[in-house]
Amino acid sequence: MSSSSSSSSSPPCPKKMITLKSSDGETFEIEEIAALQSKTLENMIDENCASTPIPLPNVKGKILAKVVEFCTKHAEAGADAETLRAWDAEFVGVEHAIVFDYILAANFLEIPTLLDLACESVAEMIKGKTPDEIRKFFNINNAFSPEEEEDVRRQNQWAFE
Amino acid sequence: MHRRLHQPHLPHSDSPAAPSSSSSDDAAAKRGKKRGSYNCGRCGLPKKGHSCHAGSSPSPAPDSSSSASAAAASTPVSAAAPAAAASSASAASASAVALAPSSLASASRRPPQPPPPLLPRHPISHLRRALSFDDLDVRADEEEEDFDEVEPDLDERDRDFVDGDADAGGLPARCLWEVLRRLPPAELLAVARVCKGWRETSRRVWRAAEDLKLRVPSRAQLCFVGSVLNKCPELVRLSLRMESDVDATMLACIAFSCPNLESVEISTSSNAVNRITGDELGRFVADKRCLTCLKMEGCSNLGGLVLSSSSLSTLWLSDLNSLSKMVFNCPNLREISLEFSRNGNDCTDLIAMVDGLGRSCPILQNIHIASVRLSHAVVLALTASNLRGLRMLSLVLGSEITDASVAAIASSFSDLELLDLSGSSISDSGIGMICNVFPETLSRLLLALCPNISSSGIQFATAQLPLLELMDCGMTVCDSNNESLISDEAINHGMEKRPNSSLHLIHQKLIIKHSKLKKLSLWGCSGLDALYLNCPELNDLNLNACKNLLPDRLLIQCPSLENVYALGCQELLIEVIQNQVNNDSFPVENHLPFKRLADGSKRVRVPHFLCQQQFDVDKKQRSRRRPCNVLAE
């Protein structure tokens, strides 16, 4: 099991699987090669802590399943850039609450590609909306007092309207 | 078809990988602690020269938007610069080898115009935290408060903030930061109004900004730029696209607001006049101790220039005109690009300038000078210097550069990777000299608008230079009867067709077989009527205005071809090109022996294995890359 300790040079032959355990107890298997996209997991693999299921208390099962899917897809050899891009677009074409979860998971697991993808997609959701619309969309409480709001508005007047 | 005298795109040998830590420490000391300590919100360390790895992704920020805007911002002076060319050029410039993307990419532009020089385009990759203001609309009538005056202490805010989930809309600060930093500046300012948490995070994104591209609209006041610059004190790279006049007060504003600035780029759109004088620029450069890169357009009011800087390594100035003196006391200068105006009244003493350049900038690697006053004497002054490190030499528009100049270059600089003598009078023997001396290093050869070159010279070059990746022979093999290719402006600028033995320039053919060639430009070669290309690596082929190229004397066997520019070619030719580059049944060279019979006909002797051979070729073709674009619009 721990014969290949250096993760970056692990041979591609028998697919070494890692088990991940979500916050709600679900387990998922992921190929070691795919798991290497997560720096957190890579560190664990390096330190040989990957033989037992790795508990991820910050990530729900539903999301972890998708994350595993993402990493597996991106670890595939020979995927051409255009198809991957299209796949990515579909991956984040879900409601924003889920994309937020992707961001949180990618942040926790340190998966730069997923973080990038999800953040860009949220940024796209934000673009073009007025502050009010943003608040409604993301369900944010407006924590500004009227004076503060006026203050901020004045400061940035030249940026919008 | 329009074609700019391309500029060799001079990539930074390494983009100023400036170690900002030492210079920014100085800066920190200078600035004192007046503005509140800028500690990284995530790990608490001081922000100066700090790149936080506590959860931040180092991936380049809005790449598509920034690179598109980067292309727009850094694209050249000329008023006729369309976005299409810029974006294709920027895509081309992404590859390290792409040298003169502008020449080939600019093929799609329309009417022939005299080559107004393009600013050499540099690859703007790795736009870390880049903000781009391209579409920002400015209200000049509003008073802007100094944003930073009202800001509370950062650390306290951070503490409150990190835990606040619900207020921030479900994202903790770190993640929100990642999202907001991918917004363009106008949006970033707008989201400050959403809630306290978002305002705070957007402030932090501003403060972390290292790159800023700003389009300054004509009704903007200086305070607009000032207030924006105030938001990003860590700014390292600044690019301004001025749509109104710019003068030294802008420089002062920049100098004041951005203590860590390493790279400044000021471009001007058509109406804007750059009023900065040489003294003012000299002072700016001398005062900014960490400035490594300066690029400025529209420098017609410099008058005279003395630049002294020990940090400056890249300098691009364009639209220079009649400088009384040009002195560069920049011992670390590696790349210089000077484009002089071509309205005929430039009287800068190039010889003295080049002489001085050679003496005070010993480690120069890339030189680009565009001026109609370039002459053999200037080349001699350059070759007399001891610039052992010279790798890229581009001396364009100098019709008085001759084969003797090539001899001088060949004997002084042995390791050139790029040589651009477009617009010169060199002939095939000059090419011979080039091939003699530089076959082991030369990968880019640009000889556009050299009327004394013939197709045999071009062929010789491609045969003798094994490392060649880019070859530009635009407007060389020209049908001299055809005046329409050169517009009036070109003639006014002294580029009139020189008398030469025109007969041999008609009906020329070109056969090029090269294993590494990636980009080939034959735009405007109206004297070509036959072309055979066998270049497995060729990506870009420019045949714009090759109007005499015959469809049945064209053979393109270049499986990697991605773009063919065929504006102004015969319709039939365009069809043939399309067939040849996209057809599955690849034209196979006819190796079959034939016998001429007594009645004059030819009988082909078909070897018995013919069918199998065809099949193999077909199979190979089917697994080819994506289809090639033939651009003829």
Side-chain angles (χ1 to χ4, degrees):
Chain A
M1 180 77 110
S2 49
S3 53
S4 64
S5 48
S6 75
S7 48
S8 46
S9 60
S10 57
C13 36
K15 288 185 186 164
K16 187 156 179 221
M17 305 297 279
I18 311 262
T19 313
L20 306 173
K21 193 157 160 192
S22 71
S23 59
D24 38 5
E26 282 185 66
T27 54
F28 300 90
E29 289 222 316
I30 180 175
E31 286 178 34
E32 185 178 290
I33 296 176
L36 292 179
Q37 294 191 51
S38 152
K39 292 198 177 45
T40 313
L41 293 179
E42 187 186 343
N43 290 339
M44 290 192 184
I45 293 170
D46 265 347
E47 292 163 18
N48 280 325
C49 314
S51 34
T52 54
I54 300 175
L56 300 173
N58 294 26
V59 191
K60 295 197 287 269
K62 206 165 59 121
I63 302 297
L64 188 54
K66 295 296 276 177
V67 171
V68 168
E69 198 186 316
F70 180 89
C71 291
T72 311
K73 180 75 180 177
H74 276 247
E76 262 173 27
D80 77 293
E82 273 183 53
T83 331
L84 201 56
R85 253 197 304 265
W87 189 91
D88 280 350
E90 240 190 88
F91 188 79
V92 286
V94 293
E95 57 172 53
H96 71 270
I98 301 186
V99 185
F100 276 15
D101 284 334
Y102 290 160
I103 295 178
L104 292 168
N107 185 43
F108 173 68
L109 289 169
E110 289 185 82
I111 308 174
T113 39
L114 180 56
L115 187 65
D116 202 28
L117 177 66
C119 289
E120 282 284 356
S121 108
V122 175
E124 285 300 317
M125 290 179 204
I126 294 175
K127 277 187 206 170
K129 290 193 167 65
T130 66
D132 231 4
E133 287 166 0
I134 296 178
R135 276 184 226 124
K136 279 203 192 63
F137 188 77
F138 292 115
N139 207 7
I140 298 174
N141 295 326
N142 184 359
F144 282 132
S145 68
E147 297 84 25
E148 278 173 323
E149 172 142 22
E150 177 56 35
D151 204 36
V152 179
R153 198 182 64 81
R154 233 176 350 112
Q155 284 164 14
N156 293 319
Q157 187 66 46
W158 52 273
F160 34 77
E161 260 131 23
Chain B
M1 82 80 335
H2 168 49
R3 200 252 175 203
R4 301 269 161 87
L5 179 60
H6 77 280
Q7 283 314 303
H9 154 111
L10 302 174
H12 291 171
S13 29
D14 353 57
S15 33
S20 53
S21 42
S22 54
S23 44
S24 44
D25 283 339
D26 287 297
K30 275 189 227 157
R31 278 173 55 202
K33 296 285 191 172
K34 270 190 291 188
R35 289 232 193 120
S37 54
Y38 293 116
N39 288 334
C40 174
R42 280 166 292 158
C43 57
L45 296 175
K47 266 222 186 111
K48 294 289 173 316
H50 161 68
S51 62
C52 192
H53 295 298
S56 76
S57 116
S59 55
D63 220 14
S64 50
S65 59
S66 348
S67 62
S69 61
S74 65
T75 321
V77 195
S78 166
S87 51
S88 58
S90 70
S93 70
S95 91
V97 224
L99 211 278
S102 45
S103 63
L104 305 170
S106 68
S108 48
R109 271 171 270 162
R110 283 248 141 220
Q113 263 175 37
L118 297 180
L119 269 187
R121 212 163 289 114
H122 57 287
I124 306 191
S125 50
H126 307 302
L127 286 169
R128 197 174 174 174
R129 302 175 181 137
L131 306 178
S132 168
F133 264 102
D134 277 350
D135 299 315
L136 190 56
D137 211 52
V138 172
R139 307 208 106 199
D141 45 328
E142 299 292 329
E143 275 283 343
E144 290 147 31
E145 283 188 22
D146 184 3
F147 201 82
D148 288 332
E149 308 287 8
V150 296
E151 122 208 336
D153 184 70
L154 189 54
D155 290 330
E156 214 174 270
R157 276 297 199 152
D158 275 358
R159 245 180 284 127
D160 289 343
F161 192 47
V162 164
D163 299 333
D165 259 11
D167 277 354
L171 277 184
R174 183 176 310 178
C175 296
L176 186 61
W177 192 92
E178 287 290 341
V179 172
L180 294 190
R181 73 178 246 247
R182 287 166 165 83
L183 287 175
E187 298 286 346
L188 192 55
L189 291 160
V191 299
R193 278 173 70 194
V194 171
C195 68
K196 275 193 187 142
W198 283 45
R199 178 177 66 179
E200 196 39 53
T201 307
S202 76
R203 272 189 195 150
R204 285 171 31 203
V205 174
W206 274 112
R207 255 187 253 109
E210 288 182 356
D211 278 58
L212 179 61
K213 274 179 200 40
L214 191 56
R215 178 180 71 91
V216 184
S218 33
R219 56 201 165 94
Q221 316 275 1
L222 197 65
C223 57
F224 159 63
V225 178
S227 71
V228 173
L229 293 180
N230 276 340
K231 289 195 198 296
C232 19
E234 303 291 322
L235 205 60
V236 170
R237 285 170 287 273
L238 173 65
S239 167
L240 294 178
R241 178 158 187 80
M242 304 300 304
E243 292 183 357
S244 53
D245 293 358
V246 60
D247 61 14
T249 49
M250 181 63 75
L251 285 184
C253 175
I254 295 172
F256 176 71
S257 318
C258 310
N260 299 338
L261 207 53
E262 290 170 20
S263 164
V264 177
E265 185 178 331
I266 297 177
S267 58
T268 49
S269 62
S270 42
N271 322 329
V273 174
N274 184 339
R275 299 187 191 283
I276 299 176
T277 67
D279 284 344
E280 291 160 347
L281 187 63
R283 236 175 293 136
F284 175 76
V285 170
D287 288 344
K288 275 246 155 269
R289 305 281 175 75
C290 42
L291 193 69
T292 56
C293 171
L294 173 64
K295 299 182 185 177
M296 209 158 77
E297 283 183 8
C299 308
S300 37
N301 287 316
L302 284 183
L305 185 61
V306 176
L307 282 183
S308 302
S309 163
S310 54
S311 53
L312 200 63
S313 76
T314 303
L315 177 65
W316 294 5
L317 299 172
S318 69
D319 302 311
L320 297 161
N321 193 0
S322 302
L323 273 79
S324 57
K325 64 175 170 176
M326 288 191 85
V327 176
F328 303 102
N329 292 328
C330 307
N332 270 321
L333 201 62
R334 270 176 220 272
E335 179 172 305
I336 186 164
S337 162
L338 301 169
E339 300 201 349
F340 291 82
S341 77
R342 282 167 302 156
N343 52 16
N345 59 6
D346 173 37
C347 55
T348 312
D349 183 353
L350 290 177
I351 300 177
M353 180 194 85
V354 166
D355 197 43
L357 201 63
R359 257 185 274 126
S360 48
C361 310
I363 61 173
L364 267 179
Q365 287 181 353
N366 304 343
I367 296 181
H368 167 72
I369 304 179
S371 163
V372 294
R373 290 172 50 96
L374 279 173
S375 63
H376 182 56
V378 177
V379 175
L380 286 181
L382 185 62
T383 53
S385 66
N386 199 18
L387 295 172
R388 291 282 143 251
L390 201 64
R391 296 285 169 270
M392 301 193 188
L393 180 59
S394 159
L395 300 170
V396 303
L397 305 180
S399 54
E400 288 167 43
I401 290 181
T402 59
D403 286 341
S405 320
V406 177
I409 292 171
S411 58
S412 321
F413 307 121
S414 51
D415 296 323
L416 286 186
E417 291 167 19
L418 176 150
L419 182 58
D420 183 354
L421 294 173
S422 299
S424 66
S425 303
I426 76 171
S427 70
D428 289 351
S429 51
I431 296 185
M433 281 188 265
I434 293 170
C435 295
N436 239 353
V437 178
F438 301 118
E440 279 147 41
T441 51
L442 201 65
S443 62
R444 285 165 273 203
L445 181 60
L446 300 111
L447 298 169
L449 287 147
C450 292
N452 296 337
I453 283 178
S454 71
S455 62
S456 44
I458 299 173
Q459 264 176 212
F460 187 70
T462 53
Q464 298 291 317
L465 298 170
L467 298 179
L468 204 61
E469 290 181 11
L470 183 145
M471 177 101 178
D472 185 353
C473 306
M475 293 282 285
T476 49
V477 181
C478 289
D479 177 357
S480 62
N481 291 333
N482 195 340
E483 286 294 335
S484 64
L485 279 171
I486 301 196
S487 70
D488 287 333
E489 269 188 83
I491 294 178
N492 288 342
H493 291 179
M495 299 271 283
E496 67 271 4
K497 284 300 278 173
R498 272 152 274 182
N500 46 34
S501 55
S502 46
L503 271 180
H504 81 280
L505 286 181
I506 313 176
H507 308 310
Q508 296 208 22
K509 76 168 192 277
L510 206 50
I511 300 177
I512 296 181
K513 282 190 198 178
H514 199 286
S515 58
K516 286 207 163 129
L517 197 62
K518 291 207 169 90
K519 289 187 199 264
L520 176 63
S521 175
L522 297 167
W523 67 274
C525 284
S526 52
L528 272 186
D529 65 354
L531 179 63
Y532 172 51
L533 287 179
N534 182 343
C535 305
E537 296 285 317
L538 196 68
N539 289 334
D540 262 27
L541 174 62
N542 187 342
L543 298 173
N544 283 340
C546 287
K547 31 205 277 291
N548 293 323
L549 198 51
L550 298 173
D552 56 349
R553 299 194 65 198
L554 175 75
L555 186 54
I556 300 179
Q557 290 181 328
C558 309
S560 308
L561 206 50
E562 289 172 14
N563 290 305
V564 178
Y565 303 91
L567 195 63
C569 295
Q570 302 172 15
E571 293 255 348
L572 199 52
L573 185 74
I574 299 174
E575 268 182 50
V576 168
I577 296 173
Q578 269 164 345
N579 285 343
Q580 288 191 4
V581 299
N582 282 322
N583 211 347
D584 272 348
S585 60
F586 204 71
V588 181
E589 273 187 54
N590 192 355
H591 293 298
L592 307 172
F594 60 82
K595 192 165 99 151
R596 193 173 278 284
L597 300 179
D599 62 353
S601 65
K602 287 187 239 180
R603 289 284 139 84
V604 173
R605 255 192 301 149
V606 178
H608 63 276
F609 58 84
L610 174 64
C611 302
Q612 190 182 6
Q613 208 175 40
Q614 272 301 98
F615 184 72
D616 283 342
V617 170
D618 278 357
K619 235 188 353 192
K620 230 187 307 176
Q621 287 316 110
R622 235 163 267 137
S623 58
R624 221 185 349 167
R625 64 340 178 244
R626 58 178 188 243
C628 171
N629 297 327
V630 178
L631 297 135
E633 290 298 314

